[in-house]
Amino acid sequence: MLIVGSMIGSGIFIVSAEIARVVASPGLLLLIWLLSGVMTVLAALSYGELSAALPHAGGQYVFLREAYGPMCGFLYGWTLFLVIQSGTIAAVAVAFARYLDVFLPLSRQLFAIELLGRHQAFDLKQLVGVAVIGLLSLVNCFGIRVGANVQNAFTALKVLALVLLVGAGIAYTGGSWNHFRPFLPDQAGVHLIVQQYQRNSAPLLGSGSLVWEYGLLIGVAMIGALFASDAWNNLTFTGGEVRNPQRNLPLALFLGTGLVTLLYVLCNVAYLHVLPIPQISQTDKIAASVARTILGSTGNALISFAILISTFGCLNGLILSGPRVYYAMARDHLFFKTVAKIHPRYHTPVKSLGVQAFWASLLTLSGTYSQLLTYVISAALLFYILTVYGLIRLRKTQPNLSRPYKAIGYPFLPWLYVMMAAAVLASNLIGDPSNSWPGFAIIAIGLPAYFYWKRKYAI
């Protein structure tokens, strides 16, 4: 429930339109979602071994620390706190408020100020976003069981909503399977797609042969699908609080990512059955457009309500899991000391929850989270690559480590993930440098902080 609830946010309801604008092909749209799902499941199989061998609070932070040393673990945790987790919380909270605006009028500017030479406006949606972050952070202070109950309820509802959307889209009598033709573009079609992207979006740095350019294009398009499939690793952050982690963590990782991959691919099949690819590429909210096509104005209200449920459940999963990483960092003397404190009765990292809520709220009010997230998506992919390769590294450096579960297909499937993810990362560094390289600068900002805490506590 934590994996499915954290993965399914607002991405599947929006991102397909962005991908369609890049690839302009029904077959490639489905292929990108399928490849992204396969990559996610492959990574989850590797994380399963790591989480069973190292079932501690902090999850991926612990994996990187054990594989490469404290600096690598810290840089991941630092980037997670600074942008990846907090920025995603801010983005999902504002998305929740935007869809709540369909039912309650929230599009009202409250006040504006001049801050550091920048005109900063604050509206009601931002305050609602901050309020829901505060509410769910407070709820999760009362024990992981309370947060888990909220997660289970909203995850069940959002999965039901997606299943209904898939069923309605495939059963829609006004749809057509002809929308899937031509399934893949021919060489002339590929040339037109590349030309259109370079004309409407940006010239591809490193352009050369048509095959090379199109490969870069697919790699750039996959980032959106991978981001919509992200946050599955949040389960590992709670490893210290999971019953029978050696069995349950690997099983949950595989089942959760597999289920979401299936739902995402079927959703896109439903989208394509209702609308042809040109119409999909012209809308900003694909799920709302599909629902409106099937049910009229009622469909728009229903899908808005479904997204409300989805974003609320996603937000709870993100808020529940992230503080376990900062708690683990503080316990290793690599973060603020107070963050390592837990509540004496509920045994939750309340200080960590508070610090995360404060920073995510600032990002929500600042409005900078969207660009920051764009910058760190590629950087986050680098940490996934390092973690999966860390499995291979730990097999050599710590051969006697207890491994109750061993990754299926080792070493071939871990290496397959590393190569696929490296190809996507390289495509973005070459094809979309303005939105990918700044993420590594954000990571580098963590180096002075690491040496500060290292010197302070004389590690």
Side-chain angles (χ1 to χ4, degrees), residues 345-416:
R345 178 180 175 185
Y346 301 113
H347 308 292
T348 51
V350 289
K351 300 286 187 180
S352 189
L353 279 160
V355 168
Q356 177 184 258
F358 175 74
W359 182 243
S361 296
L362 282 183
L363 291 178
T364 301
L365 294 173
S366 71
T368 58
Y369 55 85
S370 180
Q371 190 59 60
L372 286 172
L373 279 173
T374 301
Y375 288 157
V376 300
I377 290 172
S378 292
L381 187 59
L382 173 64
F383 285 118
Y384 280 121
I385 294 170
L386 287 173
T387 305
V388 174
Y389 181 72
L391 163 68
I392 300 170
R393 181 179 172 87
L394 284 170
R395 285 279 190 107
K396 297 176 181 177
T397 59
Q398 298 188 34
N400 297 323
L401 182 67
S402 175
R403 293 175 172 85
Y405 161 83
K406 292 190 176 182
I408 297 170
Y410 179 89
F412 306 107
L413 293 185
W415 270 116
L416 178 60

Side-chain angles (χ1 to χ4, degrees), residues 138-147 241 324 341-350 353:
L138 179 62
V139 166
N140 279 282
C141 287
F142 294 102
I144 197 168
R145 173 49 53 195
V146 176
E241 298 162 277
R324 273 70 185 173
K341 294 181 180 178
I342 62 172
H343 194 280
R345 178 180 175 185
Y346 301 113
H347 308 292
T348 51
V350 289
L353 279 160

Side-chain angles (χ1 to χ4, degrees), residues 416-435:
L416 178 60
Y417 173 82
V418 168
M419 290 186 290
M420 291 176 70
V424 174
L425 179 59
S427 296
N428 280 270
L429 293 175
I430 297 170
D432 190 17
S434 62
N435 284 323

Side-chain angles (χ1 to χ4, degrees), residues 37 49 105-106 122 158 161 163 167 169 191 215 270 300 306 308-309 313 325 336-337 339 341 355 361 377 436 458:
E49 175 174 323
L106 301 177
F122 299 91
K158 74 169 71 177
V163 170
H191 186 69
N300 188 50
L308 270 180
I309 292 172
V325 176
F336 301 107
K337 194 173 182 180
V339 173
K341 294 181 180 178
V355 168
S361 296
I377 290 172
S436 51

Side-chain angles (χ1 to χ4, degrees), residues 158-431:
K158 74 169 71 177
V159 169
L160 176 62
L162 274 181
V163 170
L164 291 175
L165 178 62
V166 169
I170 292 176
Y172 178 53
T173 56
S176 174
W177 297 110
N178 288 327
H179 295 164
F180 291 81
R181 300 175 184 170
F183 193 67
L184 293 171
D186 56 19
Q187 186 172 357
V190 169
H191 186 69
L192 287 174
I193 291 169
V194 170
Q195 282 187 325
Q196 183 178 354
Y197 178 81
Q198 301 218 43
R199 184 170 59 251
N200 296 339
S201 300
L204 290 169
L205 184 65
S207 296
S209 69
L210 191 62
V211 173
W212 170 259
E213 290 178 339
Y214 203 56
L216 291 180
L217 207 62
I218 292 174
V220 170
M222 278 186 69
I223 278 288
L226 286 170
F227 187 64
S229 304
D230 201 15
W232 54 270
N233 61 320
N234 282 8
L235 174 69
T236 68
F237 302 165
T238 65
E241 298 162 277
V242 175
R243 292 181 191 167
N244 192 8
Q246 288 81 5
R247 172 189 178 275
N248 292 334
L249 286 173
L251 188 61
L253 283 162
F254 175 71
L255 293 177
T257 54
L259 175 60
V260 173
T261 296
L262 177 63
L263 283 172
Y264 279 6
V265 172
L266 290 176
C267 261
N268 282 277
V269 170
Y271 294 160
L272 286 164
H273 182 251
V274 175
L275 297 174
I277 199 79
Q279 283 185 248
I280 291 176
S281 64
Q282 290 169 9
T283 180
D284 289 326
K285 299 175 181 178
I286 174 59
S289 298
V290 167
R292 191 165 49 248
T293 301
I294 297 172
L295 298 172
S297 58
T298 303
N300 188 50
L302 287 174
I303 205 67
S304 296
F305 184 69
I307 296 174
L308 270 180
I309 292 172
S310 183
T311 50
F312 192 84
C314 177
L315 197 57
N316 182 72
L318 294 168
I319 288 172
L320 181 154
S321 52
R324 273 70 185 173
V325 176
Y326 324 135
Y327 159 79
M329 291 169 63
R331 196 178 54 186
D332 289 343
H333 306 297
L334 288 174
F335 206 51
F336 301 107
K337 194 173 182 180
T338 186
V339 173
K341 294 181 180 178
I342 62 172
H343 194 280
R345 178 180 175 185
Y346 301 113
H347 308 292
T348 51
V350 289
K351 300 286 187 180
S352 189
L353 279 160
V355 168
Q356 177 184 258
F358 175 74
W359 182 243
S361 296
L362 282 183
L363 291 178
T364 301
L365 294 173
S366 71
T368 58
Y369 55 85
S370 180
Q371 190 59 60
L372 286 172
L373 279 173
T374 301
Y375 288 157
V376 300
I377 290 172
S378 292
L381 187 59
L382 173 64
F383 285 118
Y384 280 121
I385 294 170
L386 287 173
T387 305
V388 174
Y389 181 72
L391 163 68
I392 300 170
R393 181 179 172 87
L394 284 170
R395 285 279 190 107
K396 297 176 181 177
T397 59
Q398 298 188 34
N400 297 323
L401 182 67
S402 175
R403 293 175 172 85
Y405 161 83
K406 292 190 176 182
I408 297 170
Y410 179 89
F412 306 107
L413 293 185
W415 270 116
L416 178 60
Y417 173 82
V418 168
M419 290 186 290
M420 291 176 70
V424 174
L425 179 59
S427 296
N428 280 270
L429 293 175
I430 297 170

